């Protein structure tokens, strides 16, 4: 509630108003949407002053909620007389009830379009409480606020007629004008802090208030009856005349004007021309309301100047800067740098950020800006990625940016200033640096050398890698601890002093094969390292840490010591060797080692080496050595000169000796020849002995040649005899068989004993025929080498099957072969070879087991040639295996079965002459191959045939 004792002094616009004025002053406005009166805008204060002191029924509707304030005149004609206090400050709907549905559209139309609605177009019947019903016409006028927007509506009522007294329908014009004049006087009371005056339809002043008199310096009647043009002057009237014409046309006009010079004091005025109409809707005058808005105008000008400076500041800012206004983020200002960041031109100014830079959709920036607008809290980020389309290419850029909210006088966010710095290049560089640092860190962590950093003279361990942890053997939790505390065993070693010296001098320390003793499991373990202690300097140039890089060379040192020991052993061995050994270096060639035997062989005395490291001390031999070394160095292959004859001076006597020199290259770690070892073996005695042996061998060779010729002649004669004998013996054997047959035919009866004799004769002659045939075949194979042609062994096996068809059928034998090769051979001999082998397999099969014979082939590998000494290394061979599941034989007979007339079974067990396998061997040898057999009793036999192709 407002205290009535000082209300009119504190708030002059509450002065007067009768009963409703008192109710208005005592109302607790702090609990309404209007708030405390001190915060009310000037236009509301002025309107309230007019309404409370008007004799016409008037109502003010203010704000979006249409909060109502009305006067005594309205209270007297309405039905709320007894409830006026309760309705005051409420909404229009509470004031008018069901009539609000009719009035609401009019109010909305006025607020939207600023249109004045007069009584001739709209009527409202108001029923009084204490009198006859009357009909009133309403006039609706917009009220403008401080920001030139329509903030409220002023509703005025004019009585049309009394239903029960129609004879008084039209009042006399004189009385109406008196009442209207009274109304004007009431309106112009000197309570409103604004200039108010009334001019008639001829633009003559009829009334004005105290402010008018004060501003223009005139008396109460000085301007009465004068026209506006007469009073203000031609120059000033040119500015206000066109505005007045608008008001006289029936439309309210509002504008701001720098006051005419006649006012004296420079002022900015907010002027409202409200047309006053009679009952016929004719404009009979204009009510002028002028408010001094100099302060607000100056503030506005200052704001404009400030805005101009703000715009200039943004435009000239050294970083990308822009201003977004409203929640929809309209791009109000953007400098060239920001447009460049967006990849856009100035056509985006005035667009929303989402439409101007559409690629931001789906990225977080629009949501962040909305949150800043909602909360009013500034937001910043660094190296934030943004996808932007620049020059038609969508790419990722990185920015440091700040979204700063801007507030209006009510503390509400009205805009956001965006300042951004393109740090793409720095971010990419940093990413590359971080990536390289990551790689370096990974490299260090996985590097074979032990790497760690010691900070301060206390040697605090930082960034140790796995190799470092493993080296000191103190577990993984060593970072941040002192090296001295972790490894007390270093106190007795030089490393702590060396590290301290690096801190003191700032000089790097390096050592190879430094011995380090590490305490592990209670024992000192000895290791060797190539150590580097590198100082790290701070900005002041002082050492603050040391990088330790230690390469474990323990194995190398041990190996080196082993090599040195071996070298000593080798040196001792060289000196003790029974052969002469000399080791010379390459580039330049100099003697490094030479034993006594080498010097003895060449007839050089040890004292001759003193002061003569160059090997030219070997005299004439040096030239021979140089030549041979040159050959070795060019070829890189061990080189031998056999039994070289040289003349030397030995024991003061010239000798001719024979020496075998072997030149052996010694390679370094790069496989380059670093040294050459010359091995000298005196062969004089051996050469002499060999010459004597060669002489004896020559003589013996002649004897052997003669014996060989005699043996060859005997072999030829034997083969000739075998051929003739086998050929000539066939005829007598056939005659015996013939005569035995005739004898059987001519004898009518043959007793038992005679039958036995005849059968024995037939059996013996049969065996004789087979033997003669086999001997003949063997002699033919030996005599007839024949021509080699391409022979398909597959075809040969098919022919063998045909020849042995009856026997194969009888024994139900299976012969398996495939992919047999084509070779160069004598066709008839290949047929005889495989026929003999298949026949053998069928002959020596088990009686009750089905024979299975398999023939396979493969190429003989070069590595396997050494297993057959009779084969040529220059030829290629097929290896053919013929295996069976027959009775087999003891492996001790593997060579015997190929000898002529050798049988492993009695004649009554298996037929045969013992010549078949001899023929096979002869055929294979004729073709430059080998044949052998392998078997176990009862497990079958395998014949391996190797033939060239």
């Amino acid at each position: 509630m407002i205290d009535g004792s000082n209300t009119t002094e504190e708030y002059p616009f509450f002065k007067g108003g009768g009963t409703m004025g008192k109710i208005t002053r005592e109302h607790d406005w702090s609990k309404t949407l209007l708030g405390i009166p001190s915060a009310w805008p000037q236009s509301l204060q002025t309107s309230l002053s007019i309404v409370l002191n008007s004799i016409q029924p008037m109502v003010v509707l203010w704000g979006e909620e249409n909060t109502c304030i009305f006067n005594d005149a309205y209270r007297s004609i309405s039905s709320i007389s007894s409830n006026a206090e309760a309705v005051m400050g409420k909404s229009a709907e509470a004031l008018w009830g069901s009539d609000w549905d009719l009035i609401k559209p009019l109010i909305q139309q006025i607020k939207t379009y600023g249109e004045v609605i007069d009584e001739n177009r709209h009527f409202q019947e108001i029923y009084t409480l204490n009198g006859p019903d009357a009909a009133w016409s309403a006039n609706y006028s917009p009220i403008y606020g401080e920001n030139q927007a329509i903030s409220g509506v002023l509703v005025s009522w004019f009585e049309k007629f009394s239903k029960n007294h129609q004879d008084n329908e039209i009042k006399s014009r004189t009385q109406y004008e008196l009442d209207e004049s009274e109304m004007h006087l009431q309106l112009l009371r000197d309570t409103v802090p604004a200039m108010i005056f009334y001019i008639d339809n001829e633009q003559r002043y009829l009334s004005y208030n105290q402010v008018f008199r004060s501003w223009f310096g005139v008396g109460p009647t000085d301007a009465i009856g004068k026209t506006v043009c007469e009073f203000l002057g031609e120059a000033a009237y040119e500015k206000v005349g066109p505005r007045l014409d608008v008001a006289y046309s029936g439309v309210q006009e509002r504008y701001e004007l720098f006051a005419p010079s006649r006012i004296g004091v420079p002022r900015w005025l907010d002027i409202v021309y409200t047309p006053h109409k009679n009952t016929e809707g004719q404009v009979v005058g204009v009510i002028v309301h002028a408010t001094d808005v100099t302060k607000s105008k100056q503030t506005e000008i200052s704001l404009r100047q400030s805005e101009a400076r703000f715009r200039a500041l943004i435009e000239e800012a050294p970083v990308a800067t822009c201003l977004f206004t409203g929640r929809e983020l309209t791009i109000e200002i953007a400098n060239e740098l920001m447009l460049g960041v967006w990849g856009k031109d100035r056509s985006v100014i005035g667009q929303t950020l989402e439409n101007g830079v559409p690629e931001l959709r789906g990225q977080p920036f629009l949501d962040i800006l909305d949150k800043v607008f909602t909360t009013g809290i500034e937001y910043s980020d660094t190296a934030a990625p943004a996808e932007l389309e620049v020059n038609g290419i969508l790419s990722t850029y990185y920015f440091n940016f700040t979204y700063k909210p801007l507030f209006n006088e009510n503390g509400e966010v009205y805009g956001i200033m965006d300042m951004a710095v393109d740090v793409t290049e720095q971010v990419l560089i940093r990413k590359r640096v971080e990536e390289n640092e990551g790689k370096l860190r990974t490299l260090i962590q996985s590097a074979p050398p032990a790497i760690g950093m010691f900070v301060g003279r206390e040697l605090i361990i930082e960034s140790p890698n796995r190799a470092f942890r493993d080296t000191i053997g103190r577990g993984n939790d060593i970072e941040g601890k002192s090296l001295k505390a972790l490894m007390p065993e270093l106190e007795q070693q030089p490393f702590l002093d060396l590290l301290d010296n690096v801190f003191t001098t700032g000089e790097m320390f390096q050592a190879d094969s430094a011995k380090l003793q590490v305490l592990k499991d209670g024992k000192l373990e000895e290791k060797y390292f190539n150590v580097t202690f590198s100082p790290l300097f701070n900005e002041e140039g002082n050492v603050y840490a040391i990088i330790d890089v230690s390469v474990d060379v323990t194995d190398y040192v041990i190996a080196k010591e082993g090599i040195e020991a071996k070298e000593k052993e080798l040196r001792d061995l060289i000196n003790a060797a029974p052969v002469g050994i000399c080791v010379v270096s390459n580039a330049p060639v100099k003697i490094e080692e030479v034993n006594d035997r080498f010097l003895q062989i060449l007839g050089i005395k040890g004292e001759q080496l003193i002061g003569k490291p160059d090997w030219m001390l070997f005299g004439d031999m040096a030239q021979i050595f140089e030549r041979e070394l040159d050959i070795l160095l060019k070829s890189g292959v061990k080189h031998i000169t056999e039994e070289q004859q040289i003349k030397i001076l030995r024991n003061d006597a010239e000798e001719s000796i024979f020496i075998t020199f072997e030149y052996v290259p010694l390679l370094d770690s790069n496989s380059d020849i670093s040294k050459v070892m010359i091995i000298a073996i005196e062969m004089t005695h051996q050469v002499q002995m060999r010459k004597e042996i060669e002489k004896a061998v020559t003589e013996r060779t002649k004897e052997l040649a003669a014996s060989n010729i005699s043996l060859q002649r005997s072999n030829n004669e034997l083969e000739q005899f075998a051929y003739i004998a086998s050929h000539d013996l066939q005829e007598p054997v056939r005659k015996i068989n013939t005569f035995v047959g005739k004898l059987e035919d001519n004898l009518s009866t043959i007793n038992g004993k005679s039958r036995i004799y005849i059968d024995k004769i037939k059996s013996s002659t049969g065996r004789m025929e087979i033997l003669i045939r086999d001997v003949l075949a063997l002699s033919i194979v030996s005599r007839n080498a024949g021509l080699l042609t391409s022979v398909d062994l597959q075809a040969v096996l098919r022919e063998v099957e045909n020849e042995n068809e009856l026997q194969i059928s009888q024994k139900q034998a299976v012969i398996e072969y495939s992919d047999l090769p084509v070779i160069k051979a004598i066709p008839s001999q290949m047929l005889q070879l495989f026929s003999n082998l298949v026949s053998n397999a069928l002959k020596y099969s088990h009686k009750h087991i089905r024979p299975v014979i398999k023939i396979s082939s493969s190429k003989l590998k070069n590595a396997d040639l050494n297993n057959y000494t009779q084969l040529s290394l220059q030829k290629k061979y097929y290896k053919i295996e013929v295996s069976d599941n027959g009775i087999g034989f003891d492996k001790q007979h593997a060579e015997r079965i190929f000898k002529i007339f050798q049988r492993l079974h009695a004649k009554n067990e298996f037929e045969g002459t013992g010549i078949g396998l001899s023929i096979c061997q002869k055929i294979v040898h004729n073709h430059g191959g080998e044949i052998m057999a392998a078997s176990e009793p009862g497990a079958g036999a395998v014949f391996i045939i190797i033939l060239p192709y």
Side-chain angles (χ1 to χ4, degrees):
M1 180 178 292
I2 301 173
D3 186 0
S5 62
N6 61 4
T7 301
T8 55
E9 287 77 10
E10 186 176 0
Y11 306 118
F13 51 86
F14 278 137
K15 186 177 181 181
T19 300
M20 290 312 302
K22 182 174 182 299
I23 291 173
T24 303
R25 287 189 293 275
E26 293 177 351
H27 193 73
D28 188 358
W29 293 101
S30 65
K31 296 181 179 180
T32 69
L33 295 173
L34 295 181
I36 59 175
S38 61
W40 290 2
Q42 183 63 50
S43 54
L44 175 58
Q45 295 177 15
T46 301
S47 299
L48 179 60
S49 178
I50 293 173
V51 167
L52 289 178
N53 295 283
S54 176
I55 60 174
Q56 292 292 115
M58 290 186 178
V59 176
V60 172
L61 304 178
W62 193 263
E64 294 182 2
E65 299 78 14
N66 293 307
T67 302
C68 62
I69 305 175
F70 48 89
N71 60 8
D72 276 349
Y74 178 78
R75 174 173 170 269
S76 65
I77 67 170
S78 69
S79 58
I80 61 168
S81 176
S82 60
N83 198 32
E85 187 173 355
V87 178
M88 176 64 73
K90 297 294 193 299
S91 66
E93 185 175 6
L95 177 65
W96 285 318
S98 60
D99 288 340
W100 174 241
D101 292 337
L102 298 173
I103 302 172
K104 182 179 178 180
L106 302 178
I107 302 300
Q108 290 176 339
Q109 181 179 350
I110 293 168
K111 285 186 174 183
T112 303
Y113 301 107
E115 181 181 1
V116 177
I117 301 176
D118 61 42
E119 71 278 7
N120 289 325
R121 295 167 56 192
H122 299 279
F123 297 90
Q124 180 183 8
E125 290 189 354
I126 302 177
Y127 302 97
T128 61
L129 294 175
N130 301 311
D133 293 339
W136 297 77
S137 64
N139 182 282
Y140 303 89
S141 302
I143 303 174
Y144 291 88
E146 300 303 318
N147 56 359
Q148 305 300 316
I150 297 174
S151 300
V153 176
L154 175 64
V155 187
S156 304
W157 278 270
F158 299 94
E159 187 176 9
K160 291 289 292 181
F161 59 87
S162 172
K163 291 182 179 180
N164 297 323
H165 301 86
Q166 291 187 9
D167 54 334
N168 294 325
E169 179 181 356
I170 302 175
K171 294 181 178 180
S172 67
R173 184 67 180 173
T174 305
Q175 184 62 44
Y176 178 78
E177 290 177 354
L178 288 173
D179 292 341
E180 193 170 43
S181 175
E182 173 114 9
M183 178 187 70
H184 296 160
L185 291 174
Q186 188 72 15
L187 289 174
L188 298 176
R189 285 187 177 181
D190 298 333
T191 60
V192 180
M195 180 175 69
I196 301 174
F197 57 91
Y198 183 83
I199 54 178
D200 61 12
N201 56 358
E202 294 179 351
Q203 298 187 11
R204 295 181 183 277
Y205 293 98
L206 296 184
S207 63
Y208 45 81
N209 67 352
Q210 179 61 39
V211 175
F212 182 96
R213 296 197 298 270
S214 173
W215 284 3
F216 283 106
V218 296
T221 60
D222 290 347
I224 300 299
K226 292 183 179 180
T227 65
V228 175
C229 182
E230 291 172 346
F231 183 72
L232 295 179
E234 291 288 342
Y237 184 75
E238 287 182 359
K239 297 180 180 179
V240 301
R243 303 283 188 172
L244 282 171
D245 291 341
V246 174
Y248 279 107
S249 70
V251 178
Q252 187 181 58
E253 176 73 353
R254 181 174 184 171
Y255 66 101
E256 289 184 349
L257 176 71
F258 190 71
S261 58
R262 180 163 181 173
I263 288 181
V265 179
R267 299 175 190 271
W268 275 96
L269 301 179
D270 179 16
I271 301 173
V272 179
Y273 295 155
T274 303
H276 179 216
K277 302 177 183 179
N278 61 18
T279 56
E280 285 77 26
Q282 296 173 337
V283 176
V284 296
V286 174
I287 301 171
V288 181
H289 179 281
T291 306
D292 186 348
V293 293
T294 302
K295 289 183 179 180
S296 63
K297 193 65 178 179
Q298 289 174 343
T299 301
E300 178 185 339
I301 293 172
S302 297
L303 286 174
R304 287 179 181 173
Q305 292 174 344
S306 175
E307 182 180 350
R309 289 193 297 271
F310 180 66
R311 285 179 177 272
L313 180 64
I314 290 178
E315 291 289 352
E316 298 171 6
V319 298
T321 308
C322 65
L323 173 65
F324 308 124
T325 57
R327 184 175 291 277
E328 64 279 2
L329 303 174
T330 299
I331 303 171
E332 188 74 20
I333 312 170
N335 65 4
E336 292 297 331
L337 291 175
M338 183 60 81
L339 294 174
V341 165
W342 291 337
K344 305 294 186 291
D345 55 26
R346 290 203 164 270
S347 63
V348 300
I349 304 297
Q351 298 185 42
T352 63
L353 179 62
E354 183 175 3
N355 291 334
V357 192
E359 58 265 33
L360 293 180
R361 296 185 186 116
Q363 300 187 56
F365 305 104
L366 297 176
D367 292 336
I368 294 172
L369 285 163
D370 186 75
K371 185 176 181 180
V372 171
F373 200 93
T374 300
T375 63
I377 299 174
E378 181 178 307
Y379 180 88
S380 296
D381 199 357
T382 58
E387 298 290 328
L388 295 170
E389 185 177 322
V390 179
N391 297 325
I393 301 174
L394 187 65
S395 302
T396 301
Y397 299 87
Y398 296 87
F399 299 93
N400 295 343
F401 70 90
T402 298
Y403 292 153
K404 183 176 181 61
L406 304 180
F407 301 89
N408 60 21
E409 63 274 9
N410 298 323
E412 300 167 335
V413 177
Y414 74 88
I416 298 173
M417 186 166 67
D418 174 13
M419 300 181 70
V421 178
D422 187 346
V423 293
T424 303
E425 184 176 357
Q426 296 92 313
V427 170
L428 294 179
I429 291 173
R430 189 183 72 239
K431 284 180 178 290
R432 287 195 292 270
V433 170
E434 291 174 352
E435 182 180 352
N436 291 335
E437 286 179 349
K439 290 179 180 177
L440 179 60
R441 194 174 297 110
T442 301
L443 181 63
I444 290 175
Q445 289 300 320
S446 60
I451 301 175
M453 183 166 65
F454 307 132
V455 179
R457 289 188 182 270
E458 299 79 14
L459 304 178
I460 303 302
I461 300 171
E462 286 191 9
S463 304
N465 68 354
R466 170 56 58 189
F468 186 94
R469 291 184 172 94
D470 293 342
T471 296
I472 68 172
R474 297 301 191 273
N476 293 326
D477 188 22
I478 63 173
E479 194 161 2
K481 296 180 180 180
S482 170
L483 180 68
K484 299 177 183 178
L486 279 176
M487 300 183 70
E489 63 268 29
L490 294 179
E491 294 289 347
Q492 307 303 321
Q493 301 180 58
F495 298 103
L496 295 179
D497 291 338
L498 292 171
L499 287 166
D500 190 72
N501 187 61
V502 173
F503 263 105
T504 302
T505 64
E507 296 178 357
M508 178 192 297
F509 172 81
Q510 288 183 306
D512 292 336
S513 303
K515 183 170 71 173
L516 170 67
Q517 291 181 318
V518 180
L519 188 63
K520 289 187 178 180
D521 299 327
K523 297 180 180 180
L524 284 175
E525 184 178 291
E526 202 170 86
K527 291 190 174 184
Y528 296 87
F529 294 88
N530 290 344
V531 177
T532 301
F533 296 150
S534 301
L536 299 179
F537 300 90
N538 58 22
E539 294 179 354
E540 289 76 28
N542 299 320
V543 178
Y544 74 92
I546 297 174
I547 292 290
D548 171 20
V549 179
S550 298
V551 180
D552 190 342
V553 293
T554 304
D555 293 341
Y556 167 77
V557 171
I558 293 174
K560 182 181 178 183
E561 291 175 350
I563 290 171
E564 290 173 350
K566 292 293 183 183
E567 286 180 348
K568 184 178 182 303
E569 291 178 6
L570 179 60
R571 194 174 296 110
D572 294 341
L573 181 62
I574 289 173
N575 288 328
V579 298
I581 298 176
C582 177
V583 178
V584 297
S585 62
N586 179 26
V589 177
K590 287 188 177 181
I591 297 172
E592 291 198 355
E593 295 287 342
V594 61
N595 68 356
D596 294 339
R597 179 58 182 159
F598 193 90
L599 298 176
Q600 182 184 8
I601 290 172
L602 296 182
I604 300 173
K605 296 179 181 180
E607 56 268 20
Q608 292 179 267
L609 290 175
I610 299 174
K612 294 182 179 179
D614 194 289
W615 70 340
M616 293 306 292
L617 63 91
F618 294 134
D620 294 339
M621 282 301 301
Q623 296 179 357
I624 297 174
F625 290 154
E626 282 186 348
R627 183 179 66 249
E628 299 300 334
L629 283 177
D630 186 60
I631 295 172
L632 175 68
L633 293 175
K634 288 180 179 178
S635 65
V637 179
K638 180 173 68 174
H639 181 58
I640 300 175
T641 58
E642 298 279 358
E643 300 175 357
Q644 191 166 1
Q645 185 176 11
I646 61 174
K647 291 182 180 182
I648 64 169
L649 188 65
R650 182 186 290 172
N651 299 324
D652 298 328
E654 187 177 78
E655 292 185 23
S656 180
I657 64 174
F658 293 89
I659 304 176
T660 293
F661 289 103
E662 184 173 354
Y663 301 88
V664 181
L666 302 180
L667 307 180
D668 60 17
S669 58
N670 297 321
S671 297
D672 295 326
I673 298 175
S674 61
K675 300 178 182 179
V676 177
M677 182 168 63
I678 305 173
I679 301 173
I681 304 173
E682 185 173 354
M683 303 295 292
T684 305
H685 179 69
Q686 290 88 331
V687 169
Q688 291 172 348
M689 290 295 296
R690 188 183 69 248
K691 286 182 177 180
E692 292 178 4
I693 292 171
E694 286 175 353
K695 182 179 180 181
V697 168
T698 301
E699 293 175 356
R700 183 59 179 163
T701 300
K702 292 179 181 179
E703 295 176 1
L704 290 175
S707 299
N708 189 40
I709 292 171
S710 177
L711 179 61
Q712 184 67 33
R713 186 182 302 114
S714 297
N715 286 338
N716 291 337
E717 290 173 353
L718 179 60
E719 288 181 2
Q720 182 70 20
F721 169 75
Y723 177 78
I724 295 171
S726 60
H727 185 274
D728 291 345
L729 287 174
Q730 288 185 75
E731 182 59 28
V733 171
R734 282 197 298 270
K735 286 182 178 181
I736 293 172
N737 282 332
T738 301
F739 290 132
V740 170
K742 288 183 178 183
L743 181 61
E744 286 180 310
D745 294 338
N746 291 330
L747 292 175
S748 57
T749 58
I750 301 175
N751 57 31
K753 186 174 283 189
S754 298
R755 171 55 61 189
I756 291 172
Y757 294 150
I758 291 173
D759 289 342
K760 285 186 177 182
I761 293 171
K762 290 173 67 175
S763 176
S764 296
T765 56
R767 288 198 302 274
M768 180 62 74
E769 281 184 323
I770 294 172
L771 178 59
I772 292 170
R773 186 179 66 245
D774 287 347
V775 171
L776 181 61
L778 179 61
S779 66
I780 291 173
V781 168
S782 301
R783 290 164 56 84
N784 184 18
L787 295 177
L788 299 180
T789 60
S790 295
V791 177
D792 184 353
L793 297 185
Q794 283 280 120
V796 169
L797 262 295
R798 287 194 292 271
E799 190 171 347
V800 170
E801 282 186 298
N802 291 334
E803 287 184 356
N804 294 274
E805 182 179 4
L806 179 59
Q807 195 174 5
I808 291 171
S809 177
Q810 288 174 347
K811 295 200 173 213
Q812 297 182 339
V814 176
I815 301 178
E816 298 177 357
Y817 59 92
S818 63
D819 300 326
L820 297 180
V822 176
I823 64 173
K824 293 289 185 179
I826 301 171
S828 61
Q829 292 189 8
M830 289 297 105
L831 178 60
Q832 188 167 8
L833 170 65
F834 287 99
S835 181
N836 285 0
L837 292 174
V838 171
S839 177
N840 236 35
L842 292 171
K843 181 193 302 183
Y844 295 106
S845 62
H846 293 283
K847 289 184 179 181
H848 305 296
I849 297 177
R850 187 178 189 179
V852 177
I853 305 168
K854 297 180 179 179
I855 301 96
S856 62
S857 70
S858 63
K859 290 183 177 180
L860 187 66
K861 297 180 180 177
N862 291 335
D864 295 334
L865 275 175
N866 294 328
N867 298 329
Y868 308 100
T869 58
Q870 302 301 319
L871 300 181
S872 172
L873 297 177
Q874 282 71 42
K875 291 184 180 181
K876 296 183 179 179
Y877 298 86
Y878 275 111
K879 180 180 180 182
I880 302 168
E881 293 186 1
V882 180
S883 63
D884 61 56
N885 61 343
I887 63 172
F889 56 86
D890 195 313
K891 60 182 178 181
Q892 66 179 335
H893 304 306
E895 293 184 8
R896 177 186 168 194
I897 60 176
F898 292 106
K899 293 181 179 180
I900 191 169
F901 303 131
Q902 295 295 316
R903 294 173 54 85
L904 302 182
H905 304 278
K907 294 178 182 180
N908 59 350
E909 291 183 86
F910 296 98
E911 297 178 354
T913 61
I915 298 177
L917 290 179
S918 298
I919 294 173
C920 290
Q921 186 181 57
K922 190 65 176 178
I923 291 172
V924 172
H925 286 174
N926 284 348
H927 287 78
E930 284 287 339
I931 184 169
M932 58 216 69
S935 180
E936 292 289 343
V942 178
F943 288 87
I944 300 170
I945 306 148
I946 299 175
L947 293 171
Y949 64 91

